[in-house]
Amino acid sequence: MEQADNAPPFDPLDGDTRADVAIAGGGFTGLWTAYYLKTLAPELDVCVLEAKRCGFGASGRNGGWMMAALEGETRLLSALDGQRRKQTGALIHGILPEVERVLGQNDIDCDYRRGGGIYAAARYPEQLALQRKLLDEYRAAGFGADDFRWLEAAELSSRLRIAGALGGIYTPHIARIQPARLVLGLARTLRGLGVRIYEQTPVTGLEAGHMVTATGRIRAPSRLLALEGYSSRLPEVSERVLAVQSRIIATEPLDESLWNDIGLAEREVFCEASPLITYGQRSADNRMVFGARGTYRFGGGPRSEFGLHGRDFEEVHRLLAACFPQLESTLITHRWGGTLGVPRNGFPHAVYDRTTGVGTAGGYFGEGVGAANLMARTLADQVLGRDTELVQAPWAFAGSIESQLRRWEPEPLRWLGYKATDLVRRLEESVYRRQGPGWQKRPLQRASGWLDRLKT
Ligand SMILES: Cc1cc2nc3c(=O)[nH]c(=O)nc-3n(C[C@H](O)[C@H](O)[C@H](O)COP(=O)(O)OP(=O)(O)OC[C@H]3O[C@@H](n4cnc5c(N)ncnc54)[C@H](O)[C@@H]3O)c2cc1C
């Protein structure tokens, strides 16, 4: 985010204008959508309106796992018949090759390194059952051992010396990036292609044929909302995608001997099956970047500012030290958080209404760094009326946002639901970590299974 802040800004909108397509939101979804629209149809006049700076949202401040994956993909794929399942799985796994093509073609350096990802079971034995269940789900969704394969404890430890390593899953379909650098590279590329970007220009509403801001109106036949965790700000998408926070810390650069001790020689990203959703990567400048589940604010609004030394980050630091005791007293130089979007539909979406010209894409949970590329390609094809595999994909919807995306339950139900889930997950973590007796675990396992079913 520091890098995004230091880049030369784009001017705000000043007065009324026209465009063929106006996009609200300068994160990965908005920028990739502009990229595909402009490269597929260079004659189009495309503009992006960003409330703050491009990358101010989750795109400039995430953990840098670029996954060829969609949250909810195993459920989505398991519901399809054989041939369609295979095609759809290939579209999802095509995300990284496509991103690699664009990065190479446009000379975008974002520390991209495709070292794969490790889903570890560590610290307590229940994680092993969770990872085995996850592998079964991948198999049922049609993915083979080339896509996801089991790591026995010894192989896991040869790649990642995480405390209590028991086993895990390896997938080659994840790359590490420095996300703010990708935002900057995309914005620069768009400028070169002739896309107009207006920063410090919050969209305040949609009116027939117009996108409205405080400093001018844009007349545009196609108007797209790429607001994700900030969706509460516009009625068309608010209540459909909820804002939830995640938190990250980064250590000072670690010397080579510490990295030899920890592993990640191929720059694999990693997580462990904790209910507190931990994730990490080794950055290009050799820091350990480590994040964990965050918070939900009553009402579902976004949050960009985080008290840097409060409870928010103590828990993340404690989890980092539990996974890597050798880092317990390592200096933490960066702490930040951000807002991601959770869709009521249960998986990401691209929606476009040809009659009104209004569309949206998002709903990534915390997995939008790669998925935004796929949803943006889908939305661009929908806007251009192209007859492609993408517009037939199960995440593509034709019609109004209102008719296609489910609405979240009203408050206080959402807040209570989040708090209940959070409480169960924290209890699970603490009982499992302490190896509490069976009578403590059983009700938690039942509650946890029940909460998982609620996602569908
Ligand atoms: C801490 C954290 C860690 C994460 N780690 C990972 C990870 O490692 N891997 C992964 O796949 N995903 C991760 N995610 C999720 C991922 O970052 C997001 O899914 C993805 O960046 C969403 O991109 P987006 O463009 O849809 O939304 P955003 O990047 O949030 O962009 C929305 C933009 O809209 C702007 N905006 C808001 N209101 C308005 C308005 N009224 N008018 C105009 N513009 C407006 C915002 O300023 C923002 O820039 C993480 C998220 C967080 C918060």
Side-chain angles (χ1 to χ4, degrees):
M1 195 53 217
E2 281 167 8
Q3 305 213 9
D5 277 343
N6 292 335
F10 292 91
D11 289 337
L13 178 67
D14 182 16
D16 293 350
T17 185
R18 306 169 74 119
D20 296 312
V21 185
I23 302 172
F28 290 140
T29 305
L31 299 175
W32 279 121
T33 305
Y35 176 82
Y36 287 106
L37 285 167
K38 195 66 187 168
T39 47
L40 289 166
E43 71 285 2
L44 277 190
D45 185 4
V46 179
C47 71
V48 176
L49 300 126
E50 162 56 47
K52 306 269 192 189
R53 303 289 315 274
C54 287
F56 175 82
S59 299
R61 47 172 96 219
N62 58 70
W65 279 45
M66 179 173 275
M67 310 164 73
L70 302 182
E71 165 71 28
E73 67 188 356
T74 52
R75 271 179 291 127
L76 205 67
L77 293 169
S78 302
L80 302 176
D81 63 42
Q83 187 52 21
R84 189 131 189 262
R85 181 186 300 168
K86 212 167 156 192
Q87 280 170 350
T88 310
L91 286 176
I92 296 173
H93 282 167
I95 292 173
L96 293 187
E98 170 59 14
V99 169
E100 285 160 16
R101 182 189 70 78
V102 179
L103 297 184
Q105 198 165 311
N106 296 286
D107 209 11
I108 297 175
D109 177 3
C110 60
D111 300 339
Y112 181 97
R113 172 98 178 241
R114 188 172 177 175
I118 297 169
Y119 298 1
R123 295 200 292 131
Y124 44 82
E126 282 73 13
Q127 291 197 9
L128 208 51
L130 286 171
Q131 299 297 34
R132 289 224 182 256
K133 181 167 165 267
L134 181 61
L135 188 64
D136 289 345
E137 286 169 10
Y138 283 128
R139 291 286 177 271
F143 294 126
D146 287 348
D147 299 315
F148 298 93
R149 76 179 171 83
W150 188 251
L151 299 175
E152 293 299 343
E155 195 182 356
L156 169 62
S157 299
S158 71
R159 284 179 176 270
L160 174 68
R161 255 81 65 203
I162 188 167
L166 296 165
I169 301 170
Y170 173 78
T171 174
H173 297 293
I174 308 183
R176 171 212 72 185
I177 63 161
Q178 206 287 22
R181 295 186 67 174
L182 177 56
V183 169
L184 295 179
L186 284 174
R188 177 181 47 78
T189 302
L190 290 179
R191 196 201 291 260
L193 289 170
V195 170
R196 285 177 286 151
I197 297 180
Y198 299 106
E199 292 186 325
Q200 307 297 347
T201 307
V203 172
T204 53
L206 298 185
E207 287 173 7
H210 290 81
M211 209 170 241
V212 183
T213 78
T215 49
R217 288 154 57 89
I218 300 104
R219 186 172 174 174
S222 288
R223 296 166 310 286
L224 309 178
L225 303 176
L227 301 177
E228 189 63 347
Y230 298 79
S231 293
S232 63
R233 294 183 173 166
L234 288 187
E236 286 78 4
V237 276
S238 82
E239 313 284 313
R240 264 97 194 161
V241 178
L242 270 198
V244 169
Q245 282 74 40
S246 187
R247 305 150 297 167
I248 309 193
I249 57 179
T251 66
E252 61 186 329
L254 306 180
D255 63 34
E256 206 49 36
S257 63
L258 258 180
W259 279 116
N260 288 340
D261 199 20
I262 292 168
L264 303 181
E266 299 302 319
R267 307 304 187 270
E268 304 92 327
V269 299
F270 68 92
C271 65
E272 42 122 41
S274 161
L276 300 181
I277 313 184
T278 55
Y279 52 93
Q281 65 143 295
R282 173 178 179 176
S283 69
D285 57 355
N286 289 314
R287 299 170 192 272
M288 172 65 88
V289 178
F290 188 84
R293 183 190 200 96
T295 51
Y296 170 74
R297 295 177 114 181
F298 189 88
R303 180 177 169 202
S304 310
E305 301 305 326
F306 292 75
L308 291 187
H309 295 283
R311 270 184 34 215
D312 270 341
F313 294 98
E314 279 164 19
E315 181 176 53
V316 186
H317 197 179
R318 184 179 56 69
L319 284 162
L320 172 68
C323 292
F324 304 101
Q326 62 274 57
L327 297 183
E328 187 159 10
S329 51
T330 301
L331 185 65
I332 305 299
T333 54
H334 294 73
R335 299 170 175 84
W336 72 96
T339 294
L340 51 96
V342 179
R344 186 65 183 92
N345 273 25
F347 49 85
H349 51 258
V351 183
Y352 188 64
D353 186 346
R354 297 203 70 75
T355 56
T356 61
V358 175
T360 187
Y364 307 115
F365 292 79
E367 299 186 1
V369 174
N373 174 274
L374 187 61
M375 292 308 123
R377 279 188 274 143
T378 306
L379 188 57
D381 281 358
Q382 290 170 313
V383 171
L384 297 173
R386 282 158 52 93
D387 184 15
T388 61
E389 273 186 314
L390 288 169
V391 302
Q392 307 296 335
W395 53 81
F397 300 95
S400 68
I401 296 170
E402 194 177 37
S403 68
Q404 301 302 314
L405 298 185
R406 284 170 69 190
R407 202 184 262 280
W408 277 99
E409 288 70 11
E411 293 291 21
L413 292 179
R414 297 194 305 241
W415 186 84
L416 288 169
Y418 182 88
K419 288 288 163 192
T421 310
D422 198 46
L423 182 69
V424 169
R425 301 296 189 220
R426 281 173 202 288
L427 277 173
E428 270 187 293
E429 166 78 10
S430 104
V431 168
Y432 293 157
R433 191 164 35 91
R434 286 184 289 107
Q435 278 311 297
W439 66 266
Q440 286 186 346
K441 291 181 195 168
R442 272 189 297 277
L444 280 172
Q445 278 159 346
R446 266 200 295 277
S448 180
W450 185 74
L451 288 169
D452 281 345
R453 276 199 297 282
L454 276 187
K455 274 168 110 183
T456 54

